[in-house]
Each structure stands twice: as structure tokens, then as C-alpha cells.
Amino acid sequence: MKGSSMNTHMGNITIDNEVIAQYAGSVAVECFGIVGMAGYSARDGLAKLLKMENLTRGIAVSIKNNKLTLDFHVIVAYGVSILAVTDNLVDSVKYKVEEFTGIEVEKINIFVEGVRVID
């Protein structure tokens, strides 16, 4: 299990990176303008929209010096401001993940892998 550990007065707490990625992904898809997470196929050179149960494939979590770095591969809605969507994503994810885990989020990298028209 790869994750982060915290020592408290009651003992040691370890949070798996997969748990952090799942939570961050669920927060991200709730943000306005985010259609979903993207899975990138290096073989095909194509990004595809991931289903809800595969959200973590579009998110990379790394921990260094007890600080989180999150990489998001997203697909955004056609016609929205990418800057506004990504700013909203960063603010929401940073606040909610820090509140959820108790670990500081140092950096959030967003890779826009595609654009989709929403019906």
C-alpha cells in the first residue's frame, strides 16, 4: 500500500493514495465544466472519457515531505472558459482534499485532454 502516514496522539494513520485519488476525482466531476476524467492511451495517442468507477485512472497522487501533489487529466465541456473551469477545480479540490485528509495540497496540475459537447 502506497500512501501517506500521520502520527497522532492516538496512533498512526495511513491513507492509501487510491483513496485520495477516488475522493479528489469525485470532487472534480462535481465542478462546473468538467465532463469527466480522461484515460490516456499512449499506444493510440488518444484520450477517452472514463466511467465513474475508473476515475482514479485519470488522477495521479504523489506525496513528498508530507505534502500532496495531484495530477488531473480531464475532459471539459465545449464552450466554457477553460481558465474558469480549472480555477474552480483547483479551489474546490484543494479545500476539500485538505479538509478530508488533513494533509496540505502543495500543487495541482491539470491536463486538459479533450473537449466534449454536452447535450
Side-chain angles (χ1 to χ4, degrees), residues 4-6 8 13 15 20 23 66-68 94-105:
S4 64
S5 294
M6 294 178 280
T8 67
I13 300 171
I15 304 172
I20 296 169
Y23 184 74
N66 288 329
K67 293 183 181 182
L68 289 170
K94 181 174 177 18
Y95 174 75
K96 290 184 178 179
V97 168
E98 285 180 348
E99 183 180 281
F100 178 68
T101 63
I103 303 168
E104 182 183 346
V105 175

Tab-separated table of all heavy atoms in Angstrom, residues 4-6 8 13 15 20 23 66-68 94-105:
chain	number	residue	atom	x	y	z
A	4	SER	N	0.138	7.961	2.557
A	4	SER	CA	0.775	8.889	3.482
A	4	SER	C	0.415	8.492	4.905
A	4	SER	O	-0.656	7.964	5.161
A	4	SER	CB	0.322	10.310	3.198
A	4	SER	OG	-1.060	10.427	3.444
A	5	SER	N	1.329	8.765	5.800
A	5	SER	CA	1.124	8.439	7.205
A	5	SER	C	1.187	9.695	8.049
A	5	SER	O	1.946	10.618	7.765
A	5	SER	CB	2.202	7.466	7.696
A	5	SER	OG	2.077	6.235	7.061
A	6	MET	N	0.357	9.690	9.079
A	6	MET	CA	0.351	10.790	10.047
A	6	MET	C	0.405	10.177	11.438
A	6	MET	O	-0.258	9.170	11.697
A	6	MET	CB	-0.938	11.608	9.928
A	6	MET	CG	-1.117	12.350	8.643
A	6	MET	SD	-2.688	13.216	8.601
A	6	MET	CE	-3.786	11.881	8.185
A	8	THR	N	-0.560	10.653	15.288
A	8	THR	CA	-1.434	11.417	16.172
A	8	THR	C	-1.217	10.933	17.597
A	8	THR	O	-0.484	9.963	17.828
A	8	THR	CB	-2.919	11.225	15.789
A	8	THR	OG1	-3.294	9.868	16.048
A	8	THR	CG2	-3.170	11.564	14.328
A	13	ILE	N	-1.897	6.941	11.423
A	13	ILE	CA	-2.956	6.891	10.413
A	13	ILE	C	-2.295	6.857	9.050
A	13	ILE	O	-1.445	7.690	8.745
A	13	ILE	CB	-3.879	8.125	10.495
A	13	ILE	CG1	-4.539	8.213	11.868
A	13	ILE	CG2	-4.917	8.089	9.388
A	13	ILE	CD1	-5.280	9.508	12.100
A	15	ILE	N	-3.179	6.741	4.910
A	15	ILE	CA	-4.198	6.916	3.880
A	15	ILE	C	-3.603	6.469	2.553
A	15	ILE	O	-2.583	7.009	2.112
A	15	ILE	CB	-4.667	8.384	3.773
A	15	ILE	CG1	-5.175	8.889	5.122
A	15	ILE	CG2	-5.754	8.518	2.709
A	15	ILE	CD1	-5.466	10.374	5.151
A	20	ILE	N	-7.276	8.778	-1.766
A	20	ILE	CA	-7.170	10.213	-2.050
A	20	ILE	C	-7.573	10.498	-3.489
A	20	ILE	O	-8.317	11.435	-3.768
A	20	ILE	CB	-5.745	10.722	-1.756
A	20	ILE	CG1	-5.428	10.582	-0.266
A	20	ILE	CG2	-5.580	12.178	-2.206
A	20	ILE	CD1	-3.983	10.814	0.097
A	23	TYR	N	-11.426	10.197	-3.911
A	23	TYR	CA	-12.126	11.355	-3.352
A	23	TYR	C	-11.918	12.591	-4.219
A	23	TYR	O	-12.861	13.312	-4.532
A	23	TYR	CB	-11.658	11.627	-1.916
A	23	TYR	CG	-12.416	12.742	-1.263
A	23	TYR	CD1	-13.722	12.555	-0.842
A	23	TYR	CD2	-11.849	14.000	-1.103
A	23	TYR	CE1	-14.441	13.581	-0.258
A	23	TYR	CE2	-12.554	15.035	-0.519
A	23	TYR	CZ	-13.859	14.815	-0.101
A	23	TYR	OH	-14.564	15.851	0.457
A	66	ASN	N	5.345	15.170	3.268
A	66	ASN	CA	4.002	15.286	3.852
A	66	ASN	C	3.130	16.334	3.161
A	66	ASN	O	2.276	16.953	3.787
A	66	ASN	CB	4.070	15.556	5.348
A	66	ASN	CG	4.511	14.338	6.116
A	66	ASN	OD1	4.235	13.206	5.712
A	66	ASN	ND2	5.204	14.546	7.211
A	67	LYS	N	3.345	16.532	1.849
A	67	LYS	CA	2.517	17.433	1.051
A	67	LYS	C	2.091	16.690	-0.210
A	67	LYS	O	2.872	15.948	-0.802
A	67	LYS	CB	3.266	18.705	0.693
A	67	LYS	CG	3.574	19.569	1.896
A	67	LYS	CD	4.247	20.848	1.501
A	67	LYS	CE	4.551	21.659	2.765
A	67	LYS	NZ	5.176	22.932	2.432
A	68	LEU	N	0.847	16.907	-0.606
A	68	LEU	CA	0.281	16.221	-1.765
A	68	LEU	C	0.505	16.988	-3.059
A	68	LEU	O	0.420	18.219	-3.083
A	68	LEU	CB	-1.227	16.044	-1.604
A	68	LEU	CG	-1.721	15.053	-0.582
A	68	LEU	CD1	-3.227	15.192	-0.407
A	68	LEU	CD2	-1.375	13.645	-1.000
A	94	LYS	N	-8.531	21.529	-3.724
A	94	LYS	CA	-7.577	21.871	-2.661
A	94	LYS	C	-8.287	21.943	-1.310
A	94	LYS	O	-7.861	21.309	-0.346
A	94	LYS	CB	-6.880	23.192	-2.974
A	94	LYS	CG	-5.849	23.605	-1.935
A	94	LYS	CD	-5.103	24.833	-2.372
A	94	LYS	CE	-4.103	25.389	-1.423
A	94	LYS	NZ	-3.585	24.644	-0.350
A	95	TYR	N	-9.372	22.676	-1.261
A	95	TYR	CA	-10.099	22.837	0.002
A	95	TYR	C	-10.635	21.505	0.521
A	95	TYR	O	-10.416	21.138	1.681
A	95	TYR	CB	-11.248	23.835	-0.172
A	95	TYR	CG	-12.124	23.933	1.042
A	95	TYR	CD1	-11.691	24.613	2.182
A	95	TYR	CD2	-13.366	23.320	1.076
A	95	TYR	CE1	-12.483	24.681	3.316
A	95	TYR	CE2	-14.164	23.384	2.203
A	95	TYR	CZ	-13.728	24.069	3.313
A	95	TYR	OH	-14.500	24.128	4.443
A	96	LYS	N	-11.335	20.761	-0.343
A	96	LYS	CA	-11.995	19.536	0.108
A	96	LYS	C	-11.019	18.406	0.421
A	96	LYS	O	-11.223	17.656	1.372
A	96	LYS	CB	-13.038	19.098	-0.912
A	96	LYS	CG	-14.229	20.047	-0.930
A	96	LYS	CD	-15.315	19.581	-1.852
A	96	LYS	CE	-16.490	20.543	-1.777
A	96	LYS	NZ	-17.578	20.153	-2.681
A	97	VAL	N	-9.948	18.272	-0.346
A	97	VAL	CA	-8.973	17.216	-0.069
A	97	VAL	C	-8.198	17.521	1.213
A	97	VAL	O	-7.950	16.626	2.019
A	97	VAL	CB	-8.026	16.993	-1.278
A	97	VAL	CG1	-6.839	16.124	-0.908
A	97	VAL	CG2	-8.788	16.377	-2.441
A	98	GLU	N	-7.838	18.774	1.420
A	98	GLU	CA	-7.151	19.131	2.670
A	98	GLU	C	-8.062	18.892	3.867
A	98	GLU	O	-7.613	18.398	4.905
A	98	GLU	CB	-6.692	20.588	2.637
A	98	GLU	CG	-5.483	20.807	1.770
A	98	GLU	CD	-5.009	22.248	1.725
A	98	GLU	OE1	-5.733	23.165	2.187
A	98	GLU	OE2	-3.893	22.468	1.214
A	99	GLU	N	-9.332	19.228	3.729
A	99	GLU	CA	-10.289	19.011	4.815
A	99	GLU	C	-10.486	17.515	5.072
A	99	GLU	O	-10.565	17.072	6.210
A	99	GLU	CB	-11.627	19.659	4.445
A	99	GLU	CG	-12.688	19.566	5.505
A	99	GLU	CD	-13.969	20.227	5.051
A	99	GLU	OE1	-14.049	21.460	5.115
A	99	GLU	OE2	-14.870	19.500	4.602
A	100	PHE	N	-10.544	16.720	4.012
A	100	PHE	CA	-10.783	15.276	4.094
A	100	PHE	C	-9.589	14.530	4.684
A	100	PHE	O	-9.760	13.652	5.536
A	100	PHE	CB	-11.105	14.754	2.691
A	100	PHE	CG	-11.339	13.279	2.581
A	100	PHE	CD1	-12.455	12.688	3.161
A	100	PHE	CD2	-10.460	12.472	1.877
A	100	PHE	CE1	-12.687	11.331	3.048
A	100	PHE	CE2	-10.683	11.109	1.754
A	100	PHE	CZ	-11.797	10.540	2.339
A	101	THR	N	-8.384	14.879	4.245
A	101	THR	CA	-7.196	14.120	4.641
A	101	THR	C	-6.405	14.744	5.781
A	101	THR	O	-5.683	14.039	6.485
A	101	THR	CB	-6.224	13.965	3.451
A	101	THR	OG1	-5.773	15.257	3.049
A	101	THR	CG2	-6.867	13.243	2.298
A	102	GLY	N	-6.473	16.046	5.925
A	102	GLY	CA	-5.633	16.728	6.907
A	102	GLY	C	-4.212	16.932	6.411
A	102	GLY	O	-3.330	17.289	7.180
A	103	ILE	N	-3.996	16.697	5.116
A	103	ILE	CA	-2.672	16.847	4.509
A	103	ILE	C	-2.707	18.042	3.565
A	103	ILE	O	-3.653	18.207	2.785
A	103	ILE	CB	-2.274	15.581	3.715
A	103	ILE	CG1	-2.323	14.351	4.617
A	103	ILE	CG2	-0.890	15.730	3.107
A	103	ILE	CD1	-2.220	13.041	3.873
A	104	GLU	N	-1.684	18.873	3.611
A	104	GLU	CA	-1.619	20.053	2.747
A	104	GLU	C	-1.437	19.644	1.285
A	104	GLU	O	-0.620	18.781	0.964
A	104	GLU	CB	-0.451	20.951	3.170
A	104	GLU	CG	-0.348	22.212	2.346
A	104	GLU	CD	0.866	23.054	2.720
A	104	GLU	OE1	1.480	22.806	3.774
A	104	GLU	OE2	1.200	23.962	1.939
A	105	VAL	N	-2.212	20.289	0.411
A	105	VAL	CA	-2.049	20.093	-1.034
A	105	VAL	C	-1.090	21.165	-1.523
A	105	VAL	O	-1.387	22.357	-1.478
A	105	VAL	CB	-3.396	20.188	-1.779
A	105	VAL	CG1	-3.187	20.097	-3.275
A	105	VAL	CG2	-4.348	19.110	-1.301
